[in-house]
Amino acid sequence: MADNPPQESEPAPPARPRPGVAALFLTYLRIGLIGFGGVNAWARRVLVEEKRWVTEQEYAEVLGLGQVLPGPNALNVAIHLGERFRGGPGALAASVGLFGGPMLVLLGLAMLHDQYGEVPVVKAVLAGIAAAAAGMILGTAAKITEKLRPAWPILAVGLAALLAGAVLRLPLPAIVLGLAPFGIAAAWWTRR
Amino acid sequence: MSEDPLWQLAVGFAGISMIAIGGGIAVVPEMNRLVVDVHGWMTDARFAQLFALAQAAPGPNVLVVGLIGWHVAGLAGMLAAVLAMCGPAGLLAYGFARLRTRLAGAAWLRVVERGLVPVAVGLIFSSGIILAQAAAVRWLAVVVSVGSTLFVWRTEASPLWVLGVGAVLGALFL
């Protein structure tokens, strides 16, 4: 053994890339610019499926934290992931990327909308995109649920959140703060 | 000072951001109250139009505050509203992220984080259902929503495809 060349003392790190500040900015810029129908579904697709910076479980957890904290969810997620990978500069790069691109687009749209917003074909195209974007959000939620394979107490809390939001139409702060203790209890009960 | 619309935008949206638990969409009724009832900057119908525009555009839906700012005070208003909505909340999230890094691995924190997941995912379903209901003005819109759900769920292809198909079908039939 002593004659062998020195072995790597640490186990091989998991093959999960750790993005730099520029990569955080550019990736979040792209997420913002393709983020039709809201960015959370797109952020999951890019960060979990394409870049593999975080796992499905990690993304869902950061999104959950982002909802409990006040402020825009997608912003809270961007700041958490930016901070995790590259500290303060990473958090700033991710959030500026997320908002910068769409703000320029909106600036153009705001000017165009004043002129063309009531043109029938524009309204029809927007209606078609809205219907497809709603399906995209539902498909993303189905995908996450399928991959996380939640135990039934966790599933029950998720179903309660769905019904409270979509059927009872309760205010979001009430749903988040009211169901969080049950979710935590379910996680405690099913902990490994 | 309190008469300056930029200042009113900044103070109003910074306050609203601090109660936006569950996301920016949670406080749309509160935004409506601020913009229409408190300051009389626009009508209900105009507010609904701006909200629909922000939903149709790419990017965080909360950017509707940028459109409101634009309507009230042009480019400076847009910047003031977005910075107010994102700045204080972003600093809070950053502080919490730092704390979380320090506590990484704490068993109770793991349980709390896992416990928030079902609420997060349940609310994604809920927002999808609400948006699909709002979009379901014709049977074709329902078909588009269902088809888009299955496409995104069952394939790995980019959702841009279904948005493009939705735009074309909308132009032809809606």
Side-chain angles (χ1 to χ4, degrees):
Chain A
M1 290 294 282
D3 293 335
N4 286 349
Q7 300 281 315
E8 285 183 20
S9 55
E10 292 178 14
R16 200 163 283 289
R18 180 166 169 269
V21 172
L24 281 166
F25 173 76
L26 290 175
T27 301
Y28 259 103
L29 183 68
R30 187 156 74 87
I31 290 171
L33 285 175
I34 61 175
F36 288 94
V39 291
N40 287 330
W42 288 99
R44 180 206 150 273
R45 178 181 169 82
V46 171
L47 301 173
V48 176
E49 288 185 18
E50 287 180 19
K51 301 282 183 184
R52 299 178 185 277
W53 290 347
V54 289
T55 64
E56 192 83 46
Q57 176 74 28
E58 284 168 340
Y59 180 74
E61 285 175 5
V62 175
L63 182 60
L65 280 179
Q67 288 186 334
V68 172
L69 293 173
N73 291 334
L75 174 72
N76 290 344
V77 171
I79 286 175
H80 266 262
L81 293 181
E83 198 280 337
R84 179 191 298 183
F85 290 123
R86 294 292 162 183
L92 193 64
S95 31
V96 171
L98 177 63
F99 278 86
M103 265 185 75
L104 290 179
V105 173
L106 266 190
L107 198 58
L109 279 180
M111 292 187 273
L112 287 176
H113 190 257
D114 291 343
Q115 292 173 6
Y116 302 109
E118 293 306 308
V119 175
V121 71
V122 175
K123 293 184 87 163
V125 166
L126 292 182
I129 291 179
M136 180 191 78
I137 292 169
L138 288 171
T140 300
K143 220 173 194 174
I144 297 176
T145 307
E146 190 180 31
K147 288 189 180 162
L148 291 185
R149 300 171 172 276
W152 72 262
I154 302 264
L155 199 62
V157 173
L159 200 60
L162 186 164
L163 293 175
V167 180
L168 302 178
R169 303 284 176 115
L170 296 177
L172 284 181
I175 299 174
V176 172
L177 298 179
L179 283 178
F182 291 96
I184 292 166
W188 174 255
W189 192 20
T190 59
R191 75 193 186 280
R192 285 155 301 215
Chain B
M1 176 172 85
S2 58
E3 291 301 310
D4 183 354
L6 286 181
W7 181 252
Q8 290 173 336
L9 282 167
V11 170
F13 283 120
I16 282 178
S17 80
M18 284 295 111
I19 56 168
I21 289 170
I25 298 307
V27 288
V28 168
E30 192 55 32
M31 288 182 196
N32 188 301
R33 204 182 69 78
L34 177 84
V35 168
V36 178
D37 300 335
V38 176
H39 293 299
W41 283 325
M42 62 187 77
T43 62
D44 263 331
R46 182 70 182 156
F47 181 84
Q49 276 178 7
L50 293 185
F51 185 68
L53 184 61
Q55 293 254 306
N61 289 332
V62 74
L63 276 174
V64 68
V65 304
L67 288 177
I68 293 169
W70 169 264
H71 181 93
V72 173
L75 186 59
M78 185 182 228
L79 290 172
V82 172
L83 285 176
M85 193 74 199
C86 295
L91 284 178
L92 189 70
Y94 180 68
F96 197 85
R98 293 285 301 268
L99 186 69
R100 184 168 176 260
T101 306
R102 280 228 310 275
L103 294 173
W108 64 268
L109 185 64
R110 295 282 310 133
V111 170
V112 168
E113 288 176 356
R114 282 187 53 227
L116 297 177
V117 168
V119 183
V121 179
L123 287 179
I124 300 178
F125 270 114
S126 154
S127 67
I129 291 169
I130 288 172
L131 290 175
Q133 284 173 343
V137 286
R138 304 264 183 86
W139 64 267
L140 182 71
V142 179
V143 173
V144 169
S145 291
V146 171
S148 161
T149 302
L150 292 174
F151 181 89
V152 171
W153 179 15
R154 305 307 310 181
T155 76
E156 300 295 316
S158 170
L160 280 177
W161 288 106
V162 284
L163 296 178
V165 170
V168 171
L169 289 177
L172 293 177
F173 301 112
L174 286 180

